[in-house]
Amino acid sequence: MTPANLADTVLSAARAVFETRGLDVAALPATTAVERPRNPEHGDYASTIALQVGKKAGVAPRELAAALAEELGRRPGIKSVEIAGPGFLNIRLDAAAAGVLARDIVLAGSAYGRTDRLAGEKINLEFVSANPTGPVHIGGVRWAAVGDALSRLLRTAGAEVGTEYYFNDAGSQIDRFARSLLAAAKGEPAPEDGYGGAYIAEIAAEVVEREPGVLDTADPQETFRRVGVELMFAEIKQSLGEFGVHFDTYFNEKDLHDRGELQEALDRLREQGHIFESDGATWLRTTDFGDDKDRVLRKSDGDWTYFAADCAYYLDKRKRGFDRVVIMLGADHHGYIGRMKAMSACFGDDPAKNLEILIGQLVNLVRDGEPVRMSKRAGTVVTLEDFVEALGVDATRYALARYSSDSPIDIDIDLWTSASRENPVYYVQYVAARTASVARNAADAGLVRTDDFKPELLAHDKENELLKTLGEYPETVAFAAEHREPHHVARLLEKIAGAYHRFYDEPACRITPKGDEPITDGHRSRLWLNDATRTVIANGLSLLGVSAPERM
């Protein structure tokens, strides 16, 4: 029995009690949930439904809990129900009901964990969005790992998701980039406000190779801007692709200008009554919606501001049919939230529903207890390539997705490259490899899963613990998707890994027969549990963009 099935059973029992007692069934929730008690001695699962609905139904929660316990006790698969405190229900399953989960997981395969929790939601998820003026740096690497994991989670929870990379190929930063390339091509020092690092010289040389004689043209800087941005962004896309991150849409800011979408956004905001003129500039009155100051959209010299492009880009996403716009930004963008929420309201949207901004905190790559300060190639920052070179793709993705993105983290190279249980990704991947190895050894011994599965034989405490932990996976995935927190999946995988190791190390839970020992139904049942563990570990690692090796 899965936690979801048990929750349905609890709700069904509550409905039966309400009908028997003549209570208003409208007081019952559409869905309910069961949880794992912190203390395993309190039972397999716990429900608070009596506390939730007792007062609403006009019945003391503990009295209602007693009636529910009696009704649940008659349901198949329920071994016992105890009442605790003011009305908690502590539920124990019989072994057969608990063990059937192993078969359900194996048969579901990659579909295990999928829900319709977010069905009907159309979400645009923008992340990384680094300007094409240099390689993806350490902050962007975090968003690449977390954003891609989140897109997978959202889809697994039933949402329709469009992933997007927005890059600024217009404006002053691109001009500085072009001037830096031109200076490098001429053998001159980088401009005072320009970009340094070996990559600038490399790209400048590529531009010259592509465009011979560019230095003798009337406007060489424009050529370096156009070709340099193209080359830099191609490199960014390649490095992200090698990291396992691909976007549905790569959106150029320049397109907003070329298509007149900034003017369209301004006109829409004017229609809404939130535009005013002052000092020759055009302003958006965002203070009406909680911003700390009004924002300029068009300066007195006629130039558009970056915020005007932000407005146009948001409107473009909404016109493409996305109900919710999710933007993932770095720690230095915290002040961005107020103006963007106000802008959404100025368009007539509900910022709480239509716009969501996630802020990621800083990351340090650490070696020998000291932060790794700079890239060999970029010169000033740690890049995606540096991360992957130090840790590998799997460890980098897992390490960055393992922590809440609103917490700063240090990634210790020595830890994350060690072949030890202290290394979380190694600890989890080792279970993926061990379960695959057990399956191979079982096949060599003539042990195979059969249709005559006897779940009641999975009655050992270590088997029960592993089953309950595997059963947490669907709800954890849904919770992680709803709260935009992929780290919950990583932490559950580590919990499952621990439960599997304890199961594997228990002599009474041996999967393959020893020596000439005959194959029993117990061996077959435990093979189902072994393979169920492999399925969940593989599914969870896939959500994080991490491989589930068959050998290590």
Side-chain angles (χ1 to χ4, degrees), residues 138-187:
I138 194 166
V141 180
R142 184 174 199 176
W143 275 140
V146 175
D148 190 62
L150 181 54
S151 71
R152 297 166 188 242
L153 273 169
L154 293 170
R155 289 178 175 126
T156 300
E160 181 181 346
V161 182
T163 58
E164 197 141 319
Y165 187 118
Y166 174 79
F167 66 97
N168 173 354
D169 55 352
S172 60
Q173 291 186 357
I174 300 299
D175 290 338
R176 288 163 50 202
F177 177 63
R179 283 189 278 111
S180 302
L181 294 176
L182 178 57
K186 290 179 175 180

Side-chain angles (χ1 to χ4, degrees), residues 252-265:
N252 298 26
E253 181 189 343
K254 191 171 180 293
D255 288 344
L256 294 171
H257 292 263
D258 294 345
R259 296 196 299 245
E261 292 193 46
L262 280 79
Q263 185 62 51
E264 181 185 344

Side-chain angles (χ1 to χ4, degrees), residues 126-141 143-144 164-169 173-174 195 229 232-234 236-237 239-240 247 250-253 328-330 333 384:
E126 180 200 340
F127 56 100
V128 183
S129 294
N131 289 330
T133 55
V136 178
H137 60 75
I138 194 166
V141 180
W143 275 140
E164 197 141 319
Y165 187 118
Y166 174 79
F167 66 97
N168 173 354
D169 55 352
Q173 291 186 357
I174 300 299
Y195 295 92
V229 166
M232 189 72 255
F233 195 65
I236 289 171
K237 288 176 70 173
S239 62
L240 286 169
F247 291 86
Y250 294 91
F251 196 102
N252 298 26
E253 181 189 343
M328 308 176 83
L329 298 172
H333 286 75
L384 172 56

Side-chain angles (χ1 to χ4, degrees), residues 326-382:
V326 180
I327 308 172
M328 308 176 83
L329 298 172
D332 57 343
H333 286 75
H334 204 278
Y336 196 72
I337 298 175
R339 76 189 71 169
M340 288 296 289
K341 290 284 189 180
M343 173 268 290
S344 171
C346 287
F347 276 120
D349 283 351
D350 178 355
K353 175 184 176 185
N354 302 118
L355 177 63
E356 189 174 337
I357 297 177
L358 308 178
I359 300 293
Q361 294 301 320
L362 300 175
V363 182
N364 286 313
L365 189 61
V366 177
R367 177 184 280 119
D368 298 327
E370 296 294 329
V372 176
R373 292 294 181 188
M374 61 181 62
S375 166
K376 297 172 187 174
R377 183 163 175 260
T380 55
V381 294
V382 176

